[in-house]
Amino acid sequence: MTETKTPIIAFDQVDLSFGDTQVLKDIDFQIEAGKFYTLLGPSGSGKSTILKLISGQLEPTSGDVLFEGQVMNDWPAEKRPVNTVFQNYALFPNMNVFDNVAFGPRLKHLSAAATKTKVVDMLHLVKLDDYADREINELSGGQQQRVAIARALANDPEVLLLDEPLSALDYKLRKDMQGELRHIQKELGITFIFVTHDQEEALAMSDWIFVMNDGIIQQNGTPEDIYDEPINHFVANFIGESNIVPGIMKEDYLAHFVGKDFENVDAGMRPNERVEVVLRPEDLDLTSVEEGKLVVTILEQSFRGDYYEVQAVDDDGNHWQVQTTNSSPVGERVGLTFDPEDIHIMRFNESEDDFDARLEQYEDEKPDEN
């Protein structure tokens, strides 16, 4: 029998309210040790609030926050095996790089030799070996961010919390630091919980993503699951670009939208149920009118380097965004083509629990192929 590991962090039906304002609603999840998790959502969705509950800056109104199976609602922040890297880095400006990184080990009364070894190791990890004597105001934003990571890791946390630590960096440095953080997490093997509103960042870095909105976890899964199988309109719209049109699921594997029937790979819904149909721009392509599954008129076209981003409209007034290597002049009528597996069907406002229950019921009820 396979032994079930206790999650390193768990939330059990956690609610949080400030007066009459409910900030988090029935948050329920588990975090496994040694993985890179991301809390993804727009501003005000509750992402950073979850980090504050883990770090001890806030206590839940109801429900429990657990560490390795033990309720830690009333544990003081300094007793929790976590450290936080903040958006503004929160470095000590009156200390140089060495002293900033050494701050935690010194609080723990490590010997001078052990502290020096720890600082040297952490600065090497973040590629700042030669910066120990630098003053904080002599560093670039990217270097300060590396110091903040080194300082947090010098405390040997079991969980590292990262609250939008890359948001102040320019695009290229941000991309570089995404790779650096992923490398550090893999090398150390500790749990990272990362907060961002950047969908591309979450997809690139994470083992597992929690998509949040209005204090609720809308969906969680691997980056591939979240992108390829969004469960509701918010997730489909928030994660990447989407074409979303209304439709009817006539039967398993057959949907009706924009006036036509299309085979697809979705099942488990009621016959003739109203649904929303999602087609990602990169899954669409332009072809001749004769070969197209739909006919559209090109409204706009912009060159993006390795593809053209095209805005088009069909005869029913539905707008389509297409990412294609085929160029077409504005005003031209062309065919739009896609494959059955590119069509994703969503129920209206379906929750993740509803989605899982529907799939489970479908698996139980579908005929035995043997």
Side-chain angles (χ1 to χ4, degrees), residues 3 20 60 71 73 92 104 110 120 130 150 154 161 209 219 231 239 256 266 273 302 321 336 338 341 350 362-364:
E3 183 180 353
D20 295 332
V71 176
N73 293 7
F92 303 119
L110 263 66
V120 169
D130 299 328
L161 310 176
I209 298 173
Q219 183 174 359
I231 65 167
I239 306 296
H256 183 87
D266 282 311
E273 180 175 352
S302 57
Q321 181 175 338
L336 195 65
F338 44 87
E341 57 268 24
E350 186 169 45
Y362 173 70
E363 290 297 324
D364 290 342

Side-chain angles (χ1 to χ4, degrees), residues 113-144:
T115 296
K116 182 177 180 179
T117 298
K118 175 66 70 175
V119 173
V120 169
D121 288 346
M122 291 302 101
L123 290 180
H124 178 71
L125 184 68
V126 299
K127 299 180 180 179
L128 290 178
D129 304 72
D130 299 328
Y131 287 75
D133 295 329
R134 295 281 187 95
E135 299 300 321
I136 296 303
N137 61 10
E138 297 175 342
L139 304 179
S140 68
Q143 290 165 345
Q144 289 183 27

Side-chain angles (χ1 to χ4, degrees), residues 28-96:
D28 219 3
F29 66 76
Q30 296 184 345
I31 299 290
E32 295 180 22
K35 292 186 177 181
F36 197 119
Y37 290 87
T38 295
L39 300 170
L40 172 66
S43 297
S45 59
K47 312 180 300 294
S48 295
T49 303
I50 286 180
L51 291 197
K52 290 176 181 177
L53 286 167
I54 295 172
S55 66
Q57 297 176 66
L58 294 172
E59 291 187 23
T61 304
S62 62
D64 293 321
V65 180
L66 302 97
F67 174 76
E68 293 184 340
Q70 293 185 303
V71 176
M72 62 174 183
N73 293 7
D74 57 354
W75 291 10
E78 64 272 15
K79 297 296 184 182
R80 301 188 182 210
V82 305
N83 252 232
T84 304
V85 178
F86 297 98
Q87 182 175 346
N88 63 358
Y89 315 141
L91 298 172
F92 303 119
N94 58 323
M95 299 181 185
N96 64 15

Side-chain angles (χ1 to χ4, degrees), residues 11 23 37 42 47 76 106 137 150 163 178 184 203 221 263 333:
F11 275 49
V23 180
Y37 290 87
K47 312 180 300 294
R106 285 170 176 165
N137 61 10
D163 194 358
Q178 289 172 11
I184 290 169
L203 293 171
E263 293 182 355
R333 285 176 62 79

